[in-house]
Amino acid sequence: MRRLIQGGRVIDPAAGIDRIADLAIADGRIVGLDMADFQPDERIDARGLSVIPGLVDLAARLREPGQEHKATVASECRAAAAGGITTVCAMPDTVPPIDSPADVRLVRQKGRNAHAARVAVIGALTQGLDGHHLTEMAALRDAGCVAVSNALHPLASPLILRRALEYAASLDLIVVVQPLERALMPEGCAHEGPVASRLGLPGIPVAAETAALGQILALVEQTGARVHFGRLSSAAGVRALQRAIADGLPVSGDVAAHQLFLTEMDVADFNALCHVLPPLRNSRDLEALRAGVADGTLCAICSDHQPHEDDAKLMPFPATEPGISSLETLLPLCLRLVDEGQLTLPEAIARVTCRPARALGLRAGSLAAGAAADVCVFDADAEWTLDVEQLHSRGRNTPFQGWALRGRVRHTLVRGEPVYQSSADSDPHA
């Protein structure tokens, strides 16, 4: 099939393109811009809309296998497509964890069967995420894993971490780490600060993040392993990453979109929808995270999508399960950063396309000729109010219910084929 996306504002930060143009697609790949002799089978009218590479989300829980009562690979891939995401990186902490080539192939096949967003699998760093026994990383890589991670599960010792980094480095495999030193946060569920103290909630100090960062960075320097730090939450964490990058270490980092808008004050009424890990910190941390995104220290903004069933958020705050359903708010929240003057539109698009793709070495995030035709067409001016009942994800657990947002996805294409389409007339949010 040959398609022509006509008259849209094409924004491709990877190529430095930002202009009105026609985008030609054939056989699942980008042909080029303004191809005078291109004869399409189908035309997509994008006048007044923005045309960008499909979003690349570095962290999402698809809940399958094992937690289908929360979500499935198919349901969340469809939700991702509705959010303009064409590549979603699946974290390994399923039940059981994704720690074998068979598991990797199963999740990838379920992703293909969904005919929606692509699934890039991040495999487990240790068997069963037990923190003791390393997985067969070579086999995981050969099965298609793009990186390895122990997610939020701790490693038994720094020696295990060192061995893991050495093994990954020998395979040129990226290790994704969410830095949290568990020994410093026993039963912690909220930022260690005045709000947690007033509510009587066990706190998680900033040092839990920086202590883990310091240990990992020391081992990165020794092993040369490539490490991506996921979901940083603090000003001190951003500074540590900034110094490491300046020292030439092979590291990168991202932040979850909700960390750029919410603080510890949002849990002040025991709002379990704001129970996340790492916790929401204070306003100074939020501003430092925004500055880190703006100056490129944090190269990517991810969804950190964690869909839950309703009951998971109905217990007392410490007993609730952490996480936000966030695939469909990733793009609107990035556009809100543009509205608030934190980023230009091309900068915001870069943080969810080419920059995350580059961080994990993914062939995505670009509209260059010959690239896979993963495309998002959205209306940057469409204003809507988030209604959780209209989410495509099975997870309704979002603290952004009722927020006025801007930017609606109209078309999502993967390999040149439509996987999501809406119109201003049919959009229930419009």
Side-chain angles (χ1 to χ4, degrees):
M1 176 70 78
R2 296 162 67 87
R3 291 186 168 86
L4 188 66
I5 302 177
Q6 286 184 295
R9 177 184 175 184
V10 177
I11 304 172
D12 181 8
I17 295 171
D18 184 359
R19 61 182 171 86
I20 303 298
D22 297 338
L23 179 68
I25 296 169
D27 299 326
R29 297 201 169 273
I30 303 293
V31 175
L33 297 177
D34 298 330
M35 310 296 288
D37 56 350
F38 185 81
Q39 296 298 320
D41 302 308
E42 181 180 291
R43 298 173 187 268
I44 296 175
D45 184 359
R47 288 173 295 178
L49 306 178
S50 298
V51 181
I52 64 174
L55 275 62
V56 177
D57 184 11
L58 291 182
R61 266 72 172 186
L62 304 183
R63 301 305 193 194
E64 196 176 0
Q67 294 181 304
E68 290 82 355
H69 60 291
K70 294 179 182 291
T72 65
V73 172
S75 69
E76 302 318 284
C77 283
R78 289 193 291 270
I85 297 166
T86 54
T87 300
V88 58
C89 295
M91 297 297 289
D93 49 349
T94 50
V95 184
I98 304 172
D99 64 355
S100 73
D103 297 328
V104 176
R105 286 191 283 269
L106 173 66
V107 173
R108 295 184 72 198
Q109 184 60 51
K110 286 181 176 291
R112 285 191 290 271
N113 292 345
H115 303 295
R118 299 171 188 263
V119 177
V121 178
I122 297 175
L125 191 66
T126 59
Q127 298 175 26
L129 298 174
D130 66 0
H132 291 272
H133 305 93
L134 301 184
T135 54
E136 293 291 341
M137 294 185 211
L140 293 177
R141 180 200 59 185
D142 294 344
C145 276
V146 298
V148 288
S149 174
N150 231 47
L152 284 164
H153 293 253
L155 296 178
S157 72
L159 181 60
I160 298 295
L161 175 60
R162 176 184 173 180
R163 299 296 185 227
L165 294 180
E166 289 172 339
Y167 186 7
S170 71
L171 300 170
D172 196 26
L173 197 55
I174 297 171
V175 179
V176 177
V177 179
Q178 191 163 342
L180 274 176
E181 175 51 64
R182 291 283 173 164
L184 290 172
M185 48 175 282
E187 301 179 357
C189 63
H191 171 62
E192 186 176 275
V195 174
S197 296
R198 178 167 58 82
L199 299 179
L201 296 174
I204 301 174
V206 167
E209 181 167 291
T210 54
L213 271 165
Q215 183 181 82
I216 297 164
L217 288 171
L219 292 172
V220 167
E221 189 168 11
Q222 182 166 359
T223 64
R226 291 193 292 159
V227 170
H228 179 79
F229 291 104
R231 278 64 72 200
L232 293 186
S233 68
S234 68
V238 173
R239 287 196 298 272
L241 179 61
Q242 198 169 41
R243 288 193 294 270
I245 293 172
D247 289 343
L249 296 184
V251 295
S252 55
D254 69 55
V255 61
H258 56 257
Q259 294 279 1
L260 301 172
F261 293 93
L262 305 173
T263 70
E264 60 178 340
M265 297 303 296
D266 291 288
V267 303
D269 59 352
F270 294 102
N271 183 0
L273 294 174
C274 291
H275 181 191
V276 293
L277 280 178
L280 302 173
R281 300 202 183 272
N282 61 37
S283 58
R284 291 188 299 276
D285 292 306
L286 181 147
E287 292 304 324
L289 291 168
R290 287 185 165 202
V293 170
D295 68 20
T297 302
L298 297 169
C299 67
I301 302 171
C302 70
S303 73
D304 197 18
H305 175 67
Q306 299 182 50
H308 287 296
E309 75 282 20
D310 291 344
D311 288 350
K313 292 289 188 180
L314 294 180
M315 293 171 281
F317 189 94
T320 58
E321 296 186 53
I324 292 174
S325 179
S326 48
L327 289 170
E328 293 158 83
T329 50
L330 178 58
L331 179 59
L333 290 179
C334 288
L335 296 176
R336 199 178 180 100
L337 291 174
V338 177
D339 290 342
E340 295 178 6
Q342 299 291 326
L343 299 171
T344 65
L345 182 56
E347 287 173 339
I349 299 304
R351 299 301 185 272
V352 289
T353 57
C354 57
R355 297 297 302 277
R358 194 178 307 158
L360 289 199
L362 304 174
R363 294 179 179 177
S366 168
L367 297 178
D374 295 352
V375 184
C376 169
V377 181
F378 71 97
D379 184 348
D381 297 322
E383 297 178 350
W384 55 291
T385 300
L386 180 63
D387 176 358
V388 296
E389 297 305 321
Q390 301 294 338
L391 290 176
H392 294 76
S393 170
R394 290 214 188 150
R396 301 289 190 259
N397 49 299
T398 171
F400 298 110
Q401 162 73 7
W403 276 44
L405 300 171
R406 185 173 68 82
R408 293 296 299 177
V409 175
R410 298 297 178 211
H411 304 270
T412 304
L413 289 80
V414 172
R415 303 181 186 87
E417 295 299 318
V419 295
Y420 176 78
Q421 180 174 347
S422 75
S423 68
D425 292 336
S426 63
D427 188 349
H429 297 292

